[in-house]
Amino acid sequence: MHLAGTVCTVRSSTGKEVLLGSNFTVSCIFNKPCTKQLFRNNEPIKYELSPRSREVFVYIRNLTTLSIFTCKCNDNPEPCGIDITPGYPPNFPQNLTCIRKTEFGNVSCTWTTGRDTKIVTTCQLRVQGDPHHGYESVMNSSGFCWATFPIKSRMSQLTVSLNVSNSLGSNTSVQPSLPKIKHVDCSSRWCHLHTDNHSMNLVEVQYKSPKGIWKKVQINGKKSLNISLLEPYTKYMFQIRRKINQTMGLWSYWSQAKEAETKEEAPDKVLDFWYLRELKPSQSEKCFRIFWKELSVSDAKGKIHQYDITVKKGNSREIIVVPRRINESICCSDCSVSVSAVNSMGQSPENFIKLQTPHLVSGFLSHKSLSNHSIALSWPRLAIAGNITEYVVHWYPVGDIEEIQWIRVVDTKANITGLRPQECFQGAVTALTSNGPVASNKDLSTWQSAPEQGPVPQQVKKKTESLIVKWSKIPQEKRGGCLKKYTVYLMDKSKGEIHHYSVDYPLTEYIISGLSPGQCYNLWVTAWTDAGEGPRGSDLPFCTPTDTERLLSLVILAGGAVLFFCLFLICICQFSSVQRRFLSCFQCLLPRVIPDPANSKCAKTYDKHPSQSLIHTGVSPLGFLVLKRDKNSTHHVQTLRITGIRFAQSICTRLKEPLRVATVAKPRLEILFYLQQYDSSMSEEPENVEVEEVPYHPSFTCTYIKSFSQESDSSDATQITRNTDISEDYISTHGAISGGEEEEDEEKEMGLDEFEFFPSIRSPFLEPLVSTGGKLTLDVVKIDCSEFLDCT
């Protein structure tokens, strides 16, 4: 390009607009000979002479700003010149945004070229299918272009072409409209994307899992959009964009993200599990705690609902179902176990490990701290029988086995990371061999300090010359690392001497002997780590008792025990069964006097009169009065219970009239027992009957009551007629006479010998059940037969 003047003409090798930073030449051609001058932005610059005598030129390098070049003759002030502007050619149009305000209104679009071209740039938009030649605009200083065009019909999809150009170049592109994913169908390993209709030849899909990174794949737009090589039971985000082809047009904007989840598969990875021996004295079998690691989302391939522990012992198999937790205790001997994760599609493969108690070896495990959070472990290769398949290194915070972690290695070293400083971990290395496991334990800590807190002692048992003391455990966060020992300090207050005793960790109890009776002491305890001794805990002052105090305490203790025993004895003796058990022991010392009922007057008299109504009777070893009705008797008789020394019950007939007891049977014998009907026409009331207690001692303990009727002045015959005869009646008072309704129950009534230990006698410290003031009258022994006889 050149610009002519009256004196000269200026030319630029690249024109008035050049690429920013480019190199070019500026030349001046004068019309006549003269002294030549060349200026740049009004500053003279050196120039070079061209082979042609009337032309000069200058070489310009890296032009970055607008520059004005002028030429003139020295004798003529009129110059000639040129303005040269550096700039950029336009980039591909991008960031197209179109807005349609109404269904049939105008569409306004904007786009950019990516940067300011610095020079005048023209923008043009063309709509595919629109006969209009294009909609033009001029790019502003910010690099934006815009255009507005009408829509005359319903169009769900538009394809527009964009063009930007200036003197340095031009670029044209086509950008499709925003695509849309309608829905996504997935299996466990692939997903198929359903989109809206389009006519683009190239589609790009990007997808990612929630914690993953975006992955992109380009697919021919005319084919199905299938995304393969996905992970089961994983959520993915999908987006698509379109382009006319690989070399033409612009990519559309990314569609809105669509989320979909692949289906489950049965897990195919073997579960990593480990075990530790548990000490349970109550169990006859060995007990173990089984731990396992949860599968990752990709390895689980579904939602884990439970874990199945298969216990194999010989040919038997037992499956223990464990809910969603990662450890379980089992007890078995000579067994193997396998742990499997279960989801809706199946379970992980089995891998059986024989549960064995490892052989412990001490001293071969060493460690060093790498940082405040990591430790390096090392150990020599053990010279043991059996091939070592691998090593298992496990560790957990002391006192918290639930946080156990482990790794498997084949080398003789391992690094443990993720530890907390000033915290003690229980670590171990177990060598798995064909002959059984071999293990070594060690306390581990990255960085230690002296304990921040001391133990709190308390007295367990105190004697005149010794003391048993125990102390509390220091909280883990206050220990400063792994405890090694405790020191018990004992100060004699009278002498001021301090003695100390060392106790290895983890013991928390100690017996101090050699104390002086009646002496006062002060005691405290400290804890140690490898970093040093911690502060003392709280003090425990105490004084040993003197011999006199010790004797007095024993007397008080014995007296209290005796008093408690007496109160307990009085309380339990309120129960009648206890009374009979307890008081029977005192009857063994009573003299053995056995009255013979066969010698009674009634027995001798009525034995001669069988025509009288009679009843066969007998007395069991427990003192029961056993009665049965004679076959020829019309009386209805029921077995009665004698319940106390001063209490008796009479026997009623179906006439419901009181009768007198004439005699009683000899123990274990059967005699005739007569019942005389009471003559109600007699107005004379019976005399009182005196009761005398007579002891009786057969092989069992019992007591009889000897009853004497008051003799009247009448003769024997008269007395018999009036039912006031003098008779000796022996009435057993051991206890209940069990009911014997029928003749066939006699053997049952007589077979109660096993209850010989339950006699009923008068308690030496309890009131009698019924008091009659020492006299047993006929009124007392009268009862109404309607309450216990079937008087039909």
Side-chain angles (χ1 to χ4, degrees):
M1 170 176 273
H2 66 275
L3 294 177
T6 57
V7 178
C8 58
T9 301
V10 181
R11 294 179 178 178
S12 170
S13 60
T14 57
K16 296 180 60 178
E17 296 175 339
V18 299
L19 186 63
L20 186 70
S22 63
N23 302 326
F24 57 94
T25 58
V26 175
S27 61
C28 292
I29 302 175
F30 290 89
N31 295 331
K32 62 179 181 177
C34 65
T35 303
K36 304 173 182 64
Q37 292 180 326
L38 187 59
F39 299 89
R40 180 180 180 180
N41 295 331
N42 295 325
E43 295 289 336
I45 56 175
K46 294 182 178 181
Y47 56 86
E48 296 183 13
L49 293 175
S50 173
R52 293 180 294 182
S53 60
R54 293 185 181 182
E55 182 178 357
V56 296
F57 67 91
V58 62
Y59 190 70
I60 306 300
R61 299 178 180 274
N62 192 21
L63 181 68
T64 58
T65 60
L66 173 65
S67 298
I68 301 174
F69 296 92
T70 57
C71 299
K72 67 178 181 177
C73 289
N74 191 27
D75 56 355
N76 190 347
E78 184 179 353
C80 63
I82 187 173
D83 297 340
I84 300 179
T85 305
Y88 299 102
N91 285 340
F92 283 100
Q94 58 187 346
N95 298 331
L96 174 65
T97 301
C98 296
I99 300 176
R100 183 172 61 181
K101 295 182 179 180
T102 62
E103 184 177 0
F104 300 101
N106 292 337
V107 177
S108 298
C109 297
T110 60
W111 66 96
T112 65
T113 60
R115 61 183 175 182
D116 184 12
T117 59
K118 307 294 184 181
I119 59 179
V120 176
T121 302
T122 303
C123 304
Q124 187 181 57
L125 180 147
R126 288 189 177 185
V127 180
Q128 186 176 0
D130 191 342
H132 196 278
H133 64 278
Y135 305 93
E136 293 184 356
S137 65
V138 177
M139 186 184 69
N140 61 18
S141 59
S142 300
F144 275 92
C145 298
W146 65 93
T148 300
F149 59 91
I151 293 181
K152 300 179 180 179
S153 62
R154 295 184 178 182
M155 303 177 67
S156 59
Q157 179 175 296
L158 293 176
T159 300
V160 297
S161 99
L162 304 175
N163 177 268
V164 286
S165 62
N166 58 24
S167 61
L168 301 178
S170 65
N171 274 307
T172 301
S173 64
V174 176
Q175 185 177 37
S177 60
L178 183 69
K180 180 180 180 181
I181 301 176
K182 293 183 177 180
H183 65 276
V184 181
D185 294 329
C186 293
S187 68
S188 60
R189 293 288 181 173
W190 56 265
C191 288
H192 176 68
L193 279 62
H194 298 267
T195 65
D196 54 351
N197 295 326
H198 64 89
S199 59
M200 301 294 104
N201 294 323
L202 186 63
V203 176
E204 187 173 53
V205 181
Q206 68 174 6
Y207 61 95
K208 76 178 187 71
S209 59
K211 295 183 179 180
I213 59 174
W214 287 104
K215 297 179 181 180
K216 295 182 180 180
V217 57
Q218 290 185 1
I219 304 174
N220 188 329
K222 303 301 182 180
K223 296 181 179 180
S224 299
L225 300 182
N226 291 329
I227 309 300
S228 58
L229 301 178
L230 302 179
E231 295 294 333
Y233 192 61
T234 304
K235 290 183 178 180
Y236 287 94
M237 301 289 294
F238 296 94
Q239 285 183 302
I240 63 172
R241 64 177 183 175
R242 297 173 181 147
K243 191 178 180 182
I244 293 178
N245 54 48
Q246 190 69 40
T247 59
M248 180 180 177
L250 294 176
W251 285 108
S252 68
Y253 291 120
W254 287 107
S255 66
Q256 291 185 349
K258 193 75 171 181
E259 186 179 72
E261 185 177 54
T262 54
K263 295 182 180 180
E264 295 187 4
E265 282 185 0
D268 57 2
K269 184 176 181 180
V270 174
L271 208 62
D272 185 9
F273 69 95
W274 187 234
Y275 68 94
L276 295 180
R277 174 74 185 276
E278 277 189 328
L279 297 179
K280 291 185 178 182
S282 60
Q283 294 289 341
S284 59
E285 295 182 310
K286 295 180 181 179
C287 295
F288 301 89
R289 177 74 72 88
I290 313 296
F291 302 90
W292 56 88
K293 295 180 180 179
E294 290 184 322
L295 295 176
S296 64
V297 175
S298 59
D299 292 333
K301 298 182 180 180
K303 182 179 180 180
I304 301 301
H305 299 286
Q306 66 186 43
Y307 295 93
D308 287 353
I309 301 179
T310 304
V311 182
K312 185 168 64 174
K313 188 174 182 180
N315 294 327
S316 65
R317 292 169 63 99
E318 178 187 1
I319 297 180
I320 302 174
V321 178
V322 182
R324 286 186 52 82
R325 62 174 182 269
I326 55 175
N327 64 80
E328 179 70 10
S329 294
I330 63 172
C331 297
C332 65
S333 298
D334 192 23
C335 62
S336 300
V337 301
S338 175
V339 183
S340 300
V342 181
N343 64 15
S344 62
M345 302 301 294
Q347 67 177 41
S348 60
E350 293 181 336
N351 179 33
F352 284 94
I353 296 179
K354 187 175 182 179
L355 300 183
Q356 297 174 290
T357 302
H359 174 67
L360 295 180
V361 179
S362 60
F364 81 89
L365 180 61
S366 61
H367 78 283
K368 66 177 181 179
S369 177
L370 298 178
S371 67
N372 288 344
H373 302 279
S374 60
I375 285 178
L377 296 176
S378 62
W379 57 92
R381 187 171 295 276
L382 298 176
I384 56 178
N387 296 325
I388 299 177
T389 57
E390 65 178 349
Y391 298 93
V392 177
V393 182
H394 76 259
W395 66 95
Y396 58 87
V398 173
D400 191 3
I401 196 173
E402 298 289 338
E403 292 190 15
I404 186 173
Q405 301 181 61
W406 66 91
I407 56 175
R408 299 177 183 270
V409 296
V410 295
D411 202 358
T412 58
K413 60 183 178 180
N415 292 341
I416 299 176
T417 60
L419 304 180
R420 294 179 290 271
Q422 293 184 302
E423 185 171 358
C424 186
F425 291 81
Q426 177 67 51
V429 174
T430 304
L432 302 182
T433 72
S434 56
N435 293 332
V438 179
S440 179
N441 301 327
K442 191 176 183 65
D443 289 342
L444 307 174
S445 183
T446 58
W447 177 75
Q448 299 190 78
S449 65
E452 301 178 9
Q453 180 177 315
V456 178
Q458 61 181 8
Q459 176 180 300
V460 177
K461 187 176 182 180
K462 180 175 62 176
K463 297 183 179 179
T464 55
E465 297 181 356
S466 64
L467 174 73
I468 301 178
V469 62
K470 69 177 182 180
W471 50 90
S472 62
K473 294 182 179 180
I474 302 175
Q476 290 287 342
E477 64 273 9
K478 299 292 184 180
R479 295 185 179 185
C482 298
L483 297 181
K484 296 299 180 182
K485 66 176 182 178
Y486 297 100
T487 300
V488 180
Y489 292 91
L490 181 69
M491 185 182 70
D492 190 330
K493 290 186 177 181
S494 62
K495 300 179 181 179
E497 298 177 352
I498 298 178
H499 303 274
H500 56 85
Y501 311 91
S502 181
V503 182
D504 291 335
Y505 177 81
L507 298 177
T508 58
E509 186 172 300
Y510 188 72
I511 301 176
I512 303 175
S513 57
L515 303 179
S516 300
Q519 188 66 36
C520 292
Y521 299 90
N522 191 30
L523 182 145
W524 65 91
V525 184
T526 61
W528 292 75
T529 64
D530 287 338
E533 183 180 19
R536 62 194 286 180
S538 60
D539 292 357
L540 176 64
F542 68 94
C543 297
T544 56
T546 61
D547 293 336
T548 304
E549 292 173 343
R550 181 171 177 268
L551 180 60
L552 180 60
S553 63
L554 291 177
V555 172
I556 295 174
L557 183 62
V562 172
L563 178 60
F564 175 77
F565 177 75
C566 292
L567 292 175
F568 175 74
L569 192 62
I570 292 173
C571 291
I572 65 173
C573 286
Q574 298 296 326
F575 301 98
S576 59
S577 59
V578 178
Q579 295 173 24
R580 290 192 296 272
R581 287 174 180 266
F582 177 73
L583 297 177
S584 63
C585 300
F586 294 98
Q587 298 180 359
C588 298
L589 303 177
L590 299 178
R592 186 165 184 168
V593 180
I594 305 175
D596 189 355
N599 294 328
S600 65
K601 183 179 179 180
C602 178
K604 295 176 181 181
T605 301
Y606 290 99
D607 189 33
K608 302 177 183 179
H609 302 279
S611 61
Q612 298 288 334
S613 297
L614 57 89
I615 298 175
H616 292 281
T617 65
V619 179
S620 72
L622 299 179
F624 293 117
L625 179 60
V626 182
L627 307 177
K628 70 176 184 177
R629 186 182 59 181
D630 187 84
K631 295 181 178 180
N632 299 322
S633 177
T634 59
H635 295 80
H636 292 265
V637 182
Q638 180 178 353
T639 300
L640 302 179
R641 180 186 299 271
I642 307 299
T643 56
I645 295 175
R646 296 175 183 171
F647 179 76
Q649 289 179 321
S650 65
I651 302 174
C652 295
T653 65
R654 66 180 296 173
L655 301 177
K656 298 184 180 180
E657 292 186 356
L659 300 176
R660 294 181 180 175
V661 178
T663 185
V664 73
K666 181 179 178 179
R668 300 186 183 271
L669 296 179
E670 189 177 90
I671 69 169
L672 299 178
F673 180 74
Y674 292 89
L675 298 178
Q676 291 180 308
Q677 182 172 335
Y678 179 71
D679 188 359
S680 59
S681 64
M682 298 297 295
S683 60
E684 182 181 353
E685 282 290 325
E687 298 292 336
N688 290 340
V689 179
E690 294 185 356
V691 178
E692 178 180 356
E693 182 176 348
V694 179
Y696 167 61
H697 297 278
S699 60
F700 51 87
T701 304
C702 60
T703 303
Y704 279 80
I705 298 177
K706 183 176 182 181
S707 175
F708 299 93
S709 301
Q710 293 281 348
E711 291 192 12
S712 64
D713 295 337
S714 305
S715 63
D716 291 347
T718 306
Q719 291 174 354
I720 292 173
T721 305
R722 298 180 58 188
N723 295 324
T724 57
D725 59 318
I726 301 175
S727 61
E728 293 182 358
D729 300 331
Y730 297 93
I731 303 174
S732 171
T733 60
H734 285 84
I737 299 176
S738 61
E741 289 84 10
E742 300 296 338
E743 182 177 353
E744 59 268 15
D745 296 334
E746 180 181 4
E747 293 181 1
K748 297 181 181 179
E749 298 294 345
M750 301 298 293
L752 303 174
D753 294 349
E754 63 270 25
F755 298 102
E756 291 180 1
F757 189 62
F758 297 90
S760 177
I761 67 172
R762 181 177 179 181
S763 171
F765 43 45
L766 295 176
E767 289 299 324
L769 297 176
V770 179
S771 176
T772 60
K775 297 291 185 177
L776 181 63
T777 67
L778 195 57
D779 293 332
V780 175
V781 299
K782 292 179 182 179
I783 63 173
D784 189 352
C785 63
S786 63
E787 296 185 6
F788 58 91
L789 290 179
D790 183 15
C791 300
T792 57

